[in-house]
Amino acid sequence: MTRPLSHWLLLVTLSLLWGSSFALTRIAVAELDPAMLVVGRNLLASLALLGLVLLLGRAWPRGGRLWGFMLAIAVVGNMTPFLLISWGQQRIDSGLAGILMAIMPLMTLVLAHFLVAGERMTSARLTGFVIGFAGILALVGPAALRELGGQGETLLAQLAVLLAACCYAINTIIARHKPASDAWSTSALVLGMACLLTLPLALLPAESALPMGLSSGALWAVVVLGVLCTALGSVVYFTLVAAAGPTFLSLINYLIPLWAVAIGLLFLGERPEWNHLLALGMILLGVGVSQRR
């Protein structure tokens, strides 16, 4: 089986959207509580998609079973990991978060092997994971590796990001089994559900006050997170997981760190180092080996 070009284009697009979200989240959580950030980005995303759904006349999801899947996706694939990552990134660097999130493809491989027809674990897929994960380690460098473990809030933050990776892996399986539905309207409603479910946490007495004088940088970070990374990303996600399956989608966690480095090179004036080029080759090799038939 040869992957069509459309699958790869969707994967690269989604990796760019989600890869930029970590830097934007880091900017936003410097001034916003994690729960408030999750509510804000999901509210913007759901409103933007609802407007497009009405404008384009897309079909609305029907059936209790489908709505049950959508609720599960809102909790497991959106609210919970968004909160965990936002909280964790207040306490650990993005490089260390990248290592922990890169575990997600292996989790997806194991879950898909047992729960998704036609997604059996093969030696090529397992070898591709090992090579790709080694590339992630080379990309973030030994400094981030030395931060693994720790104690107190640092350790809890690492566990939070690791749990978020587990949520994403489980969510790809849920989304794969979800009854067929329109990606645009499904995304809008899932994001709306996640917003409403997170709202009580954002309105807790200790967290409910909005910070005065929110900077333009943090404000724009929330807007871009909502409209592009969350709204458009959700549509691409549902389209890709239905067309290509969870194991192929899990490759995104190898590509996201590459975009993070590329963004640093293009917009922050950073220079590529030897480990960046080595990591690029290893990650692409791992992706290629995992997709080899």
Side-chain angles (χ1 to χ4, degrees), residues 90-104:
Q90 290 181 314
R91 294 159 177 82
I92 61 174
D93 292 335
S94 57
L96 181 55
I99 294 176
L100 298 168
M101 289 300 297
I103 297 295
M104 181 261 196

Side-chain angles (χ1 to χ4, degrees), residues 105-123 125 173 246-247:
L106 180 60
M107 298 177 181
T108 306
L109 271 177
V110 175
L111 291 173
H113 176 80
F114 295 103
L115 300 174
V116 179
E119 293 282 346
R120 308 288 293 178
M121 183 184 295
T122 64
S123 58
R125 286 177 173 175
I173 306 300
T247 301

Side-chain angles (χ1 to χ4, degrees), residues 2 13 15 22 27 59 71 75 90 94 99 106 118 133 140 142-143 194 200 208 221 223 236 254 258 293:
T2 302
T13 300
S15 66
F22 287 92
I27 295 172
L71 178 60
V75 174
Q90 290 181 314
S94 57
I99 294 176
L106 180 60
F133 186 72
V140 299
S208 59
V223 171
V236 176
Y254 299 143
L258 296 181
R293 295 294 186 267

Side-chain angles (χ1 to χ4, degrees), residues 2 12 42 55 128 168 193 227 229 275:
T2 302
V12 171
N42 281 333
L55 181 65
Y168 282 135
M193 289 178 184
V227 176
C229 301
N275 63 306

Side-chain angles (χ1 to χ4, degrees), residues 131-132 134-141 254 257-259 261-262 265 270-286:
I131 297 173
I136 297 293
L137 298 182
L139 180 68
V140 299
Y254 299 143
L258 296 181
W259 281 116
V261 172
L265 296 177
E270 298 175 355
R271 294 184 178 181
E273 300 180 7
W274 68 268
N275 63 306
H276 295 159
L277 301 178
L278 173 63
L280 173 62
M282 295 179 69
I283 290 171
L284 294 180
L285 176 62

Side-chain angles (χ1 to χ4, degrees), residues 6-278:
S6 60
H7 289 185
W8 291 103
L9 291 176
L10 288 171
L11 185 72
V12 171
T13 300
L14 189 58
S15 66
L16 173 58
L17 292 171
W18 285 359
S20 59
S21 69
F22 287 92
L24 294 167
T25 297
R26 191 62 183 268
I27 295 172
V29 294
E31 302 182 35
L32 277 174
D33 173 76
M36 190 67 72
L37 170 60
V38 174
V39 168
R41 67 184 290 188
N42 281 333
L43 178 62
L44 288 173
S46 59
L47 290 177
L49 285 177
L50 282 172
L52 285 175
V53 168
L54 294 173
L55 181 65
L56 300 174
R58 311 292 293 199
W60 293 102
R62 294 184 179 181
R65 183 169 180 266
L66 175 56
W67 279 81
F69 270 91
M70 290 165 54
L71 178 60
I73 291 170
V75 174
V76 178
N78 186 292
M79 182 187 77
T80 303
F82 278 13
L83 286 171
L84 290 170
I85 292 172
S86 298
W87 184 84
Q89 282 201 268
Q90 290 181 314
R91 294 159 177 82
I92 61 174
D93 292 335
S94 57
L96 181 55
I99 294 176
L100 298 168
M101 289 300 297
I103 297 295
M104 181 261 196
L106 180 60
M107 298 177 181
T108 306
L109 271 177
V110 175
L111 291 173
H113 176 80
F114 295 103
L115 300 174
V116 179
E119 293 282 346
R120 308 288 293 178
M121 183 184 295
T122 64
S123 58
R125 286 177 173 175
L126 189 57
T127 302
F129 166 79
V130 173
I131 297 173
F133 186 72
I136 297 293
L137 298 182
L139 180 68
V140 299
L145 283 174
R146 286 194 294 268
E147 296 179 19
L148 280 171
Q151 56 186 350
E153 286 197 345
T154 300
L155 178 59
L156 290 177
Q158 295 177 29
L159 294 175
V161 175
L162 188 61
L163 181 56
C166 295
C167 288
Y168 282 135
I170 295 170
N171 190 62
T172 59
I173 306 300
I174 297 174
R176 180 64 170 179
H177 289 289
K178 176 186 69 66
S181 62
D182 178 75
W184 293 84
S185 59
T186 300
S187 298
L189 293 172
V190 165
L191 294 171
M193 289 178 184
C195 177
L196 293 176
L197 290 169
T198 313
L199 188 58
L201 296 176
L203 295 179
L204 288 175
E207 314 292 351
S208 59
L210 282 171
M212 300 302 293
L214 191 65
S215 70
S216 59
L219 181 61
W220 276 110
V222 176
V223 171
V224 175
L225 275 170
V227 176
L228 293 181
C229 301
T230 308
L232 182 57
S234 294
V235 174
V236 176
Y237 170 81
F238 280 118
T239 303
L240 183 58
V241 74
T247 301
F248 180 76
L249 175 67
S250 70
L251 297 176
I252 194 173
N253 280 64
Y254 299 143
L255 302 179
I256 283 176
L258 296 181
W259 281 116
V261 172
I263 290 171
L265 296 177
L266 293 174
F267 299 106
L268 302 180
E270 298 175 355
R271 294 184 178 181
E273 300 180 7
W274 68 268
N275 63 306
H276 295 159
L277 301 178
L278 173 63

